[in-house]
Amino acid sequence: MKIGIDLTWLKPNKSGGVESYIRNLLDGFLELGDDNKYILLMAKDNYQSFEKYKKDARIETILCNTNANDIKGHLIWQNLHQYNVLKKNKLDFCFFPVYEMPIYKNRKIRCVTTIHDIQAYHYPKYFSKLENIWFKLGWEKAIKNANRIVTISDFTKHDIENHFKHAKNIKRIYIPIVLNDKIKCNFNQLSKKYNIQKNQYYYTVCSLHKHKNLITLINVMEEIIKKEKKIPNILVISGVGGPQKKELENIIFEKKLEKNVILTSFVSNEERNSLIENSNIFLFPSLFEGFGMPPVEAMMLGAKVITTKCTSLYEVTDKKCEYVEDPLSTQEWINKIKEIQNMESKKYDFTEYDKKHIARQYLDLFYEVNNEKR
């Protein structure tokens, strides 16, 4: 089978979790050892980041006349030219790893696309009026035109079905998670860099978007400093950058928490893994996730984890970590932190997120779609 895979949307080191998702999935396909041909459609400003795949005989590449970072130009190219590129290269099947695909249907080309979440329905204020219109149009057209929609959690599947009553072509396939617990830096370096001690700080990977609920953790730290003497009172935060960082710094300053809340900015995987492993507890206060990798990764690294039961988190952590019932309650967070201080750490294996296992589910779906009557 010749499988087209659209990568023209990917902005290297800017596409966040969806970039990890598709790169891990590509690795999973190649590790299966099948005899399929994978034809990668790449943009002029991202093709170099996929050089390693060209070494495999099953990989072919098509350099498309578009740039991932030119959002408007890419949308025009996609809707005017992408199907022509597929037909020219005799591809009658294409996988779109994000919902972004041509808004009209080509009946000669089978399509599968992934919708990771429909965040704009829940948090429209994050986006401009035009962006909200475009998102909803894109989801509507993808559901109508794709042969199958993949969602990355049961939560997202049900969320789409609740908002799009005609969505009957959805299959849930979890995302592949690749985590090498041998890759980590020396904690002594981080201890000096951030002035922290092993098991004497909490760690989170978060942003300042409202649904990430980071402010609740800031309030938790404020209360711990006032009332609690027997538990750690340091919070280390990774993932807040740009204008959000300045906003968060102002909040920390106003609450006089400069010595207790430490911002790392960007950290490498090696640093992140070490910060997770040596933390007292990994805290993940999010109110909305399409999947939510950080708490799963922390559990795989052996950290104690507290998160919420919101949206997909209870599902993807397999009910195996600690949860707060009310994610906005600072006192409940503090009570849970105190409750698990003496709990033994444990590493969890999430075989259901193994990249080969996930790649096999995608291939089975591709075969199913390709074999349907035209």
Side-chain angles (χ1 to χ4, degrees):
M1 183 176 174
K2 292 178 68 176
I3 301 168
I5 300 179
D6 176 44
L7 300 173
T8 59
W9 53 273
L10 190 149
K11 306 172 187 67
N13 301 316
K14 297 179 183 177
S15 295
V18 291
E19 179 174 0
S20 297
Y21 148 80
I22 188 55
R23 291 188 188 276
N24 290 341
L25 187 56
L26 288 174
D27 292 340
F29 286 143
L30 297 184
E31 287 187 17
L32 286 175
D34 59 79
D35 58 358
N36 293 303
K37 287 286 186 181
Y38 298 92
I39 294 83
L40 310 184
L41 281 71
M42 298 177 295
K44 291 187 290 185
D45 55 351
N46 71 18
Y47 75 96
Q48 290 181 327
S49 71
F50 294 98
E51 284 294 316
K52 76 169 190 175
Y53 295 105
K54 295 181 181 180
K55 298 175 183 177
D56 194 296
R58 292 166 294 170
I59 293 286
E60 296 178 13
T61 59
I62 299 173
L63 181 57
C64 300
N65 187 28
T66 185
N67 288 292
N69 287 284
D70 177 9
I71 297 175
K72 183 178 178 181
H74 178 256
L75 289 174
I76 293 171
W77 171 86
Q78 186 171 57
N79 284 282
L80 293 181
H81 303 293
Q82 188 161 23
Y83 280 144
N84 290 331
V85 171
L86 294 172
K87 287 188 288 185
K88 180 180 177 181
N89 288 274
K90 299 180 179 179
L91 287 168
D92 57 8
F93 181 93
C94 190
F95 170 48
F96 295 87
V98 294
Y99 78 92
E100 189 179 295
M101 58 182 291
I103 61 173
Y104 67 93
K105 186 177 183 68
N106 187 311
R107 296 187 180 279
K108 294 183 179 180
I109 298 174
R110 302 293 179 91
C111 297
V112 171
T113 188
T114 301
I115 298 179
H116 295 256
D117 62 52
I118 52 172
Q119 187 185 102
Y121 263 108
H122 302 276
Y123 298 93
K125 291 183 180 179
Y126 289 172
F127 310 99
S128 68
K129 185 175 181 179
L130 185 60
E131 285 175 321
N132 277 295
I133 292 171
W134 176 252
F135 285 141
K136 292 173 184 178
L137 175 65
W139 294 327
E140 180 78 34
K141 291 296 184 179
I143 291 167
K144 180 179 179 181
N145 296 336
N147 296 84
R148 292 291 190 284
I149 299 294
V150 175
T151 64
I152 60 175
S153 64
D154 287 328
F155 162 74
T156 299
K157 180 178 186 293
H158 298 149
D159 201 24
I160 292 172
E161 290 170 340
N162 287 336
H163 285 90
F164 300 91
K165 300 302 181 183
H166 61 287
K168 306 296 183 184
N169 56 342
I170 303 177
K171 181 178 179 62
R172 187 270 292 152
I173 302 177
Y174 289 127
I175 63 173
I177 298 179
V178 176
L179 185 67
N180 188 342
D181 59 5
K182 302 292 190 296
I183 297 179
K184 53 195 169 189
C185 67
N186 189 314
F187 181 71
N188 289 334
Q189 298 173 359
L190 299 178
S191 177
K192 294 175 183 177
K193 183 176 181 180
Y194 300 119
N195 193 26
I196 53 177
Q197 303 300 317
K198 180 180 174 66
N199 199 43
Q200 294 302 309
Y201 65 94
Y202 313 109
Y203 185 49
T204 190
V205 178
C206 207
S207 75
L208 202 54
H209 289 306
K210 186 176 180 180
H211 73 280
K212 294 295 187 178
N213 195 30
L214 181 57
I215 295 301
T216 293
L217 292 190
I218 302 299
N219 295 335
V220 166
M221 296 311 303
E222 190 176 29
E223 290 301 304
I224 286 176
I225 291 165
K226 290 178 182 177
K227 301 176 180 178
E228 305 293 338
K229 305 299 181 185
K230 296 183 179 180
I231 58 176
N233 61 8
I234 302 292
L235 174 65
V236 179
I237 303 171
S238 297
V240 181
Q244 284 191 349
K245 184 177 180 182
K246 184 61 178 176
E247 182 181 351
L248 183 54
E249 286 174 338
N250 290 337
I251 294 170
I252 292 168
F253 178 78
E254 289 171 5
K255 292 180 176 289
K256 299 179 180 179
L257 296 174
E258 299 97 319
K259 294 181 179 180
N260 301 88
V261 179
I262 299 165
L263 307 183
T264 69
S265 297
F266 172 80
V267 292
S268 65
N269 288 339
E270 291 83 356
E271 290 178 309
R272 183 205 60 180
N273 290 356
S274 188
L275 286 168
I276 289 173
E277 284 192 349
N278 290 282
S279 66
N280 182 272
I281 304 171
F282 182 84
L283 306 175
F284 196 71
S286 183
L287 305 176
F288 182 91
E289 298 290 330
F291 184 90
M293 279 197 298
V296 175
E297 292 174 324
M299 293 167 72
M300 293 171 73
L301 286 165
K304 290 181 287 189
V305 174
I306 303 175
T307 186
T308 75
K309 292 184 177 180
C310 298
T311 60
S312 63
L313 289 168
Y314 196 53
E315 171 191 350
V316 303
T317 55
D318 199 22
K319 310 175 184 63
K320 290 177 178 176
C321 64
E322 299 296 314
Y323 306 90
V324 291
E325 296 293 333
D326 180 359
L328 300 178
S329 169
T330 57
Q331 191 56 54
E332 187 178 352
W333 279 97
I334 292 171
N335 291 343
K336 184 62 70 172
I337 288 170
K338 291 165 65 177
E339 178 186 322
I340 69 169
Q341 279 300 305
N342 296 321
M343 181 183 291
E344 199 170 315
S345 298
K346 177 183 177 182
K347 284 190 176 184
Y348 287 91
D349 292 322
F350 286 92
T351 56
E352 59 267 45
Y353 306 140
D354 174 73
K355 61 183 174 182
K356 287 177 66 176
H357 176 67
I358 299 299
R360 172 49 61 193
Q361 292 181 66
Y362 269 96
L363 275 186
D364 288 345
L365 178 64
F366 295 168
Y367 295 148
E368 177 184 307
V369 169
N370 198 51
N371 290 333
E372 289 175 348
K373 290 184 179 179
R374 294 183 182 274

